[in-house]
Amino acid sequence: MERSALESIYRMMLRIRRFDEGVIDLFKEGLVKGTAHSYVGQEAVAAGACSVLRKEDFVVSHHRGHGHCVAKGASLNRMMAELMGRVTGYCKGLGGSMHIADLDLNILGANGIVGAGIGIGTGAALSNKLRGTDHVGIAFFGDGASNEGIFHECLNIASVWKLSIIYLCENNQYALSTAMKDSTSIDRFSKRAAAYSLPGVTVDGNDVLAVRAAVDEAVMRARKGEGPSFIEALTYRWGDHSMRANLPRYRGQQEVEDWIKLDAIARFEKRLISEFGFKQAQLDRVRADVETDMAAAREFSIASPEPTLADLEDAVYAPHYQPAEPRFTTTRELSFAEALREAIGQEMEADPSVFVLGEDVGKIGGIFAATRGLIEKFGAERLRDTPISEQAIASCAVGSAITGMRPIAEVQIFDFVTLMMDMIVNQAAKFRFMLGGKPTVPMVIRGPQGGGVRLAAQHSQSLETWFTHIPGLVVLAPSSPYEAKGLLTSAIRENNPVIFLEHKLLYVGKKGLVPEESYALPIGKSVVKRKGNDVTVIATLAMVESALQAATRLETEGIDVEVIDPRTLRPLDEEAIINSVKKTSRLVIAHEGWKRWGFGAEVAAMVAERAIDWLDAPIFRVGARDAPMPYNDKLERQVIPSAEDIEAAVRSVVMRDRATA
Ligand SMILES: Cc1ncc(C[n+]2csc(CCOP(=O)(O)OP(=O)(O)O)c2C)c(N)n1
Ligand SMILES: [Mg+2]
């Protein structure tokens, strides 16, 4: 090995150690707040592994992530500034220690959720494969993370798809206070590799050249297209779990001292002198350089300003895709599924970064046929049938979206989104924000939701408010084939993560007029489905049709109903709703999700805050009964709101007012 390469590995190890020692001082001084997890003791793993990588190769990390960032070439100034919550930091002070990332250096981020980086890395490796690169990546994670479900789903999918990723488990023997021997059924994590047909090795994680050699071999294999590898590096963290942790003792003093004797830096210094002919003075010079860099980082950070509320507001969403409302005449009719399929096909044709993944979406085109037939045109690489691994599916969506692709992930039935929630809520929705508002996360999670087809309590829910509650997500809810195509086109072009909800009854419902040419509907804009003057009905998804039926019948009673379909539940077109209520003075909100704590409650509160003086009657909500969906069909019809329920609600707000007039 060249001396310059050895010196730079040594320099890296020192930078990592001195950085985290500096952080401890700053934490004690109150300049670093919250918490941070020291990497001291584990330097050889990050420095050895990253010494093999090219700039285009990625790393993805975890809560104990400073070392990985430093080793991949991150600036100490910007890291330190981030830890002090300054606007010059990597995340403008919005992320902190657990979210440092630099996409320009292909550092895809530390992470506050144990195991999440395994998923994001798997998605980034899929992205590399789809883009036809020979780039590789390393996912660093701990022994604790190796017992998360995401570990198993991702190692399997990466092996099946031969992704170029190295799973590098830093086994520092403990997950917080829990020793590996008390949490893990085997003595070596590398044994698990065989279960996924991966090469798996255990190396001395305090021997930087041993780590480097193992990673080098795995990287060579990956670059040749031979797929993922698993490396377990045995090491030890010298400090406590985190700077904040003031825990009762859970490790023996002797054990800590024994590991400190195996200090990777001291061992490497000895070898540099005895084996590679370095002089002590050379090593001292490197040390002095590192001290200079550390002092500069501290000074830079202390002098840096803090972020403002404007920085925070700007970071939540990338600007929405905003086409003008299209105008067409057409006589062609499509079903809801045909409309979805046409949108996906046209976008795949126009943009090679668009691809579809999910359970049964390829060969059979999804159980509701939204992607049926597309595999013949676009092939199995872009219509990817996945294992039944919702976490891995969502992970692949997030990881590929942040690295240049536009994934469309199907949830086979939306109730299964429970198994994707970390990736959607903690990762996709917050990624841009946590990284200071720079990256985009252009991904769509779509699939069927809602009841009415006798599928009972775990296949029938309407879960939109789980997602409308989360800043960072866009939630789209088409009510007809026309909206299905136009909104899905926008969803695919949108630079924020989109939850795209397709009501099951719409797949089997009426065909509708759909133009053949590609078109997109604006995000955040509602549509008036029926003009009226007496009462405003806000209806979503399948309830739009019910509201229109109710309006037709109420017309015969002399009640003139305005029906508005928000189309986008988040961001909500508040202006259109307020303007309609100011005209009609009465409001009913109808949705299939539970009435309690539902979408209607938010709309009602918003209108009460902004337009109460215009209201002539209380706001009524029509939603599902407060019970899970029953199997029995008569009971199911009593749980799901009907057109008659909407009619009754409208009559009561109108009659109450007429009675008192
Ligand atoms: C999903 C999840 N569960 C629990 C935690 C709390 N937590 C943070 S780090 C940690 C221990 C992780 O251990 P390991 O993966 O071995 O990493 P190490 O801290 O040893 O580097 C725990 C329990 C979390 N952040 N995320
Ligand atoms: Mg650990």
Side-chain angles (χ1 to χ4, degrees), residues 177-235:
S177 70
T178 304
M180 178 189 170
K181 65 177 166 43
D182 299 327
S183 65
T184 307
S185 58
I186 42 170
D187 58 345
R188 287 279 170 266
F189 283 104
S190 55
K191 288 184 181 169
R192 286 191 181 162
Y196 307 102
S197 334
L198 306 186
V201 291
T202 298
V203 295
D204 176 352
N206 282 14
D207 176 345
V208 71
L209 295 184
V211 173
R212 181 182 151 95
V215 174
D216 195 31
E217 201 182 317
V219 163
M220 280 195 301
R221 224 175 3 246
R223 279 208 217 284
K224 281 193 280 179
E226 290 173 14
S229 303
F230 184 91
I231 298 171
E232 175 184 28
L234 296 176
T235 185

Side-chain angles (χ1 to χ4, degrees), residues 42 62-64 112-114 142-145 148 172 174-176 237 241:
Q42 303 182 201
H62 59 147
H63 55 285
R64 199 174 302 289
I113 305 297
V114 168
D143 45 291
E148 288 279 9
N172 62 8
Y174 289 85
L176 217 154
R237 63 169 152 76
H241 169 69

Side-chain angles (χ1 to χ4, degrees), residues 235-246:
T235 185
Y236 203 78
R237 63 169 152 76
W238 289 5
D240 214 331
H241 169 69
S242 84
M243 290 177 199
R244 199 176 198 87
N246 184 11

